[in-house]
Amino acid sequence: MHTTFRRLVPGLIVAACLPLATARNIDLSTVPHRDTVQLTIYNSEDLTLVRETRVLTFKQGVNPLQFSWANTLIDPTSVELTFRTQPDQLTVLDTTFPHDKPQMLYWNVQSDFDGEATVEISYFTSGISWSADYVCLANADETQMHLDGFVRIVNRSGEQYENAQIRLVVGTINLVEKIAQLAQIPMDKVDQLREAVRSELRLRAARGIMKPASQAEYGSADEAGRLDEAKIIKEGLSEYFIYTIEGTQTIPDGWAKRMRSFEGEAVPFRIQYRYRPQEYGDQLVRMYLLTNDTPSELGTTPLPDGVVRVFRDNGRDGLSFLVAQTIKYVPIGDKIELNFGPDPEVIFELIKLRAFRDNLWLHIHGTDLFRRADDGAFQIDVNSTVAGWDDHEIYTQRIRNYTAKPIAVEIRRTLPGHVVFRSALQAKLHDYQTVELRTAVEPAKRADLLFEVVRHQGRNATQHNVTLEDAAVQP
């Protein structure tokens, strides 16, 4: 991107015919480097709001200002010029898109004074993205973990951003057009789209989605510290959440940078074994469960989508890699669940012990009387069909724990239809057709968890949910 400020004086047309006069009377200078630049990255839509300030010298009268976005992914319909100082003495008269320079515009600025003023140029660009990743290091006893969060910023926008304040937005926004597409539109369409984009910007600002930055937000920052140790400041904003990286960062085009977002020194967690066929398949899986809350030394911000890599101290001055897993957005107070798959030291089996049918109902259609030939007696013939019955199935869920520690087990079974569920364990309904059981198995022990499923069929099936009955189940 290249931005220049042209100051034209009377006599330009005449002076243009004479080389010496031209050099004396035309004051053409490049706009100073950015004083400040702020990037607000909306990752869900490949959208970044850029706000940059410069100090320009104005002369009383009309001052042309040139803005170019060649070889970048800047959306030309979103470019805005505002005045941070002297706004009552500076006015944008018009905006011109020259036909022979397709990636450039001119602003004509009316100034009522001679002197300096701070201007702000804002626009949307595509090509800047960020992602989160997490590293967990569990202790040897698997009771606490050291949890580090990182963010990685990638710049493929075509523009260099030096000493930029960076804000990362967690949340989902929806746009009709993608900025990368808007950046390629012909200039004859810009005027048609410009007002629509301005209206959307004003609407977003009114909703608090794009809060104007105060002058203090653009202050200088110390970059003496290592880049990967940059702190991240968080603030809530409606249904969005903003991470502000402390200080300023330089992100050249085509580069990526990784920065620490938070550090949890001793985050507690617990281990649970789960059987949930619809989520994890027909197997018992081992889980790490922790919560994004204050007692866990987390809970100050939501956690964005990202990849979690888990290691465990093996007790021999080394680390064991356990799993790499993608997690979804984790709100404050919500659980983080890490699935390690089946544990070879915990065996789970479902064994059917017995099946039978009872409680038959018959539907009688009619009767016939006829005489038997041998003794002359009458016999009644009943025409009937089976209208309903109950199917009984008795199972044991056998769990063998070969680990050195007791394990907590949660089992969920989905039972469609009209079902009565009986178990020696106390059961509860997770939803209208899913039963949940919880138990513990001691180390080097086997547990047989008996349960019975009674399915009402035909006429007997008057409901469509699971009914719980506490009863000792006999195989």
Side-chain angles (χ1 to χ4, degrees):
M1 180 185 64
H2 178 64
T3 310
T4 57
F5 175 67
R6 300 175 183 268
R7 187 168 70 247
L8 305 182
V9 298
L12 172 60
I13 298 178
V14 176
C17 300
L18 302 173
L20 294 178
T22 301
R24 288 194 301 270
N25 291 289
I26 297 179
D27 185 2
L28 174 61
S29 61
T30 301
V31 169
H33 290 294
R34 305 177 180 109
D35 286 341
T36 63
V37 58
Q38 182 189 78
L39 308 178
T40 303
I41 308 173
Y42 295 77
N43 208 40
S44 64
E45 284 291 342
D46 188 16
L47 172 71
T48 297
L49 174 64
V50 183
R51 309 162 67 99
E52 55 183 57
T53 65
R54 289 179 169 88
V55 177
L56 304 181
T57 301
F58 291 91
K59 290 292 186 180
Q60 189 171 1
V62 178
N63 299 259
L65 186 66
Q66 173 186 299
F67 182 84
S68 172
W69 57 89
N71 302 317
T72 71
L73 294 178
I74 291 174
D75 168 20
T77 68
S78 66
V79 180
E80 291 279 352
L81 173 66
T82 57
F83 305 105
R84 300 286 297 276
T85 62
Q86 312 293 347
D88 55 336
Q89 300 186 66
L90 295 168
T91 305
V92 178
L93 298 178
D94 56 46
T95 305
T96 303
F97 296 89
H99 70 280
D100 57 337
K101 298 177 180 179
Q103 292 185 305
M104 184 180 295
L105 63 80
Y106 293 97
W107 288 296
N108 286 317
V109 179
Q110 174 68 44
S111 175
D112 297 336
F113 74 103
D114 292 337
E116 292 184 342
T118 300
V119 302
E120 178 182 292
I121 300 173
S122 64
Y123 51 86
F124 283 148
T125 187
S126 180
I128 303 177
S129 61
W130 69 277
S131 60
D133 65 276
Y134 308 90
V135 177
C136 302
L137 174 56
N139 60 8
D141 294 334
E142 293 185 303
T143 57
Q144 291 182 338
M145 67 171 60
H146 187 105
L147 176 58
D148 288 334
F150 299 89
V151 293
R152 184 187 302 272
I153 301 173
V154 180
N155 180 12
R156 297 190 181 94
S157 67
E159 176 63 26
Q160 313 287 340
Y161 292 102
E162 298 179 355
N163 299 322
Q165 183 194 48
I166 299 174
R167 307 199 307 170
L168 314 175
V169 180
V170 178
T172 302
I173 60 174
N174 297 301
L175 295 178
V176 177
E177 301 92 356
K178 303 297 184 184
I179 298 305
Q181 297 169 350
L182 291 174
Q184 308 300 324
I185 63 174
M187 284 299 100
D188 58 357
K189 301 293 185 181
V190 168
D191 289 333
Q192 301 174 19
L193 295 174
R194 186 175 184 80
E195 186 56 37
V197 174
R198 283 177 173 173
S199 299
E200 183 165 343
L201 282 171
R202 288 192 291 267
L203 178 62
R204 292 179 183 276
R207 291 177 175 174
I209 298 174
M210 296 177 180
K211 183 177 67 174
S214 64
Q215 185 69 30
E217 288 181 293
Y218 287 95
S220 61
D222 180 15
E223 288 205 302
R226 294 190 310 169
L227 188 61
D228 61 353
E229 294 296 334
K231 294 181 180 178
I232 295 185
I233 303 168
K234 296 90 173 178
E235 61 175 301
L237 193 61
S238 184
E239 68 271 30
Y240 301 86
F241 209 93
I242 295 180
Y243 293 74
T244 301
I245 299 176
E246 190 179 66
T248 60
Q249 311 294 331
T250 296
I251 307 180
D253 180 47
W255 284 51
K257 284 195 174 181
R258 185 171 183 255
M259 290 152 284
R260 188 186 305 274
S261 61
F262 68 88
E263 182 177 15
E265 291 286 349
V267 179
F269 68 93
R270 62 189 178 91
I271 298 175
Q272 185 182 70
Y273 287 78
R274 286 181 175 175
Y275 179 79
R276 297 181 183 178
Q278 293 182 324
E279 295 181 50
Y280 312 126
D282 194 19
Q283 57 191 359
L284 193 69
V285 298
R286 187 171 186 259
M287 308 287 297
Y288 275 10
L289 305 180
L290 55 153
T291 306
N292 183 21
D293 58 10
T294 303
S296 297
E297 297 189 4
L298 303 173
T300 58
T301 66
L303 303 182
D305 300 4
V307 176
V308 181
R309 294 175 177 85
V310 185
F311 301 83
R312 182 176 63 86
D313 184 350
N314 61 16
R316 301 184 299 275
D317 296 327
L319 299 178
S320 299
F321 175 72
L322 300 182
V323 74
Q325 178 181 323
T326 300
I327 63 169
K328 296 297 185 181
Y329 172 80
V330 183
I332 296 175
D334 208 354
K335 288 184 173 59
I336 304 170
E337 302 180 343
L338 304 175
N339 180 4
F340 296 93
D343 185 344
E345 294 185 314
V346 177
I347 308 301
F348 177 83
E349 298 174 279
L350 178 65
I351 303 171
K352 182 184 285 189
L353 301 177
R354 185 183 176 196
F356 60 95
R357 179 174 295 173
D358 64 6
N359 199 19
L360 274 68
W361 284 78
L362 301 178
H363 178 69
I364 298 176
H365 302 289
T367 59
D368 291 323
L369 296 178
F370 62 93
R371 186 185 302 273
R372 293 180 58 180
D374 53 351
D375 57 8
F378 286 93
Q379 179 174 315
I380 300 177
D381 182 19
V382 179
N383 296 320
S384 62
T385 57
V386 176
W389 68 95
D390 291 342
D391 284 328
H392 296 252
E393 295 175 321
I394 299 176
Y395 295 88
T396 182
Q397 298 168 123
R398 180 168 295 167
I399 303 173
R400 293 193 290 266
N401 177 15
Y402 294 110
T403 70
K405 295 186 294 186
I407 61 173
V409 180
E410 177 200 86
I411 298 172
R412 287 183 185 173
R413 291 196 173 277
T414 299
L415 306 168
H418 183 195
V419 174
V420 174
F421 185 87
R422 298 169 180 156
S423 173
L425 291 176
Q426 184 175 2
K428 70 175 184 177
L429 289 177
H430 174 69
D431 59 37
Y432 75 100
Q433 61 178 7
T434 302
V435 176
E436 180 177 295
L437 302 169
R438 293 193 178 187
T439 189
V441 182
E442 293 300 316
K445 296 292 184 180
R446 186 187 83 177
D448 279 295
L449 313 177
L450 295 174
F451 69 90
E452 179 182 8
V453 177
V454 183
R455 289 185 170 88
H456 298 313
Q457 309 286 8
R459 176 189 181 280
N460 297 359
T462 58
Q463 303 180 38
H464 301 283
N465 60 339
V466 177
T467 302
L468 299 180
E469 290 185 3
D470 293 330
V473 180
Q474 299 297 325

